[in-house]
Amino acid sequence: MKRPSFRRCGHAHGAMSPEDQAVIGQVRAMLTAMRNPQPWTPGHAQDIAVRVGPFIERAQPRPGDDHGPDLIAVALRHPDTPHAAAYLHGKKLGYNNRGWLRCETAAILGTWQPAYAMLTHAAADLPLPEDVGMAPAHYGVHVEARRSDNTGYTLLRLGPYFQTWLASRDADRLNTELAGRAATVLPAFTLTAKDAPFHVSEHESYTDPYDADIAGLLAAAIAGVSA
């Protein structure tokens, strides 16, 4: 019986095309990267590799909000970012417009390496799932108490807001409230409300602003430090 022989896409038996060699090289690089992940250090503005189900995705930590021991804020990125084609492909697959997300540090594999790209949804031309296992980490409002030398503290934190305009609206409302009672608030301090990123690593210090009397929350915070 004649034993069948298997050939590679039109090449002689046993020959390896440049395309085959490139794929094998990518696989070897990926396996090396998986065995030897590069440690990620918070605050270094480095993209990270995070686990999303059985896949690995590229994520950008939010500056200033990447120091939490358990949670940080990230935005998922197409593996070929910042190229224009990657933006269009990422939009098609659901990478764009997800905003900032809460990422458990236990899901971080390490610093992003190009070799991980073949393990992403994008490489498989699959859309990201609706539930990527990360809750939104959007925006907040901080009421800051500052002395003339710019020292001070944060009096009140509201959040998370899921839309920036809501955070800006509440900041304006609080500033109007503060302007009306500036002389009786806190002596030697200037109080200002401003919209800011929601610091997910400090989520326990925030008060949920939805269905809440934010003016009442401000008055209670002021009363608490004035007592």
Side-chain angles (χ1 to χ4, degrees), residues 75-94:
L76 295 179
R77 293 288 180 254
H78 188 281
D80 295 331
T81 300
H83 304 297
Y87 175 82
L88 295 175
H89 194 220
K91 189 172 184 179
K92 170 188 172 186
L93 299 181

Side-chain angles (χ1 to χ4, degrees), residues 122-204:
D125 203 26
L126 294 173
L128 288 173
E130 286 297 320
D131 181 8
V132 294
M134 302 180 195
H138 292 295
Y139 314 96
V141 169
H142 295 176
V143 178
E144 304 285 347
R146 296 292 171 191
R147 301 181 184 89
S148 58
D149 62 359
N150 204 36
T151 60
Y153 57 93
T154 301
L155 180 68
L156 177 66
R157 295 184 180 190
L158 301 174
Y161 291 87
F162 304 128
Q163 294 176 294
T164 56
W165 73 269
L166 290 175
S168 297
R169 181 202 65 183
D170 279 4
D172 290 343
R173 288 175 58 190
L174 292 176
N175 280 321
T176 299
E177 183 77 15
L178 290 168
R181 49 185 298 184
T184 61
V185 180
L186 291 177
F189 285 90
T190 298
L191 270 62
T192 305
K194 59 182 68 175
D195 50 312
F198 175 74
H199 296 300
V200 64
S201 58
E202 302 172 6
H203 61 94
E204 293 181 353

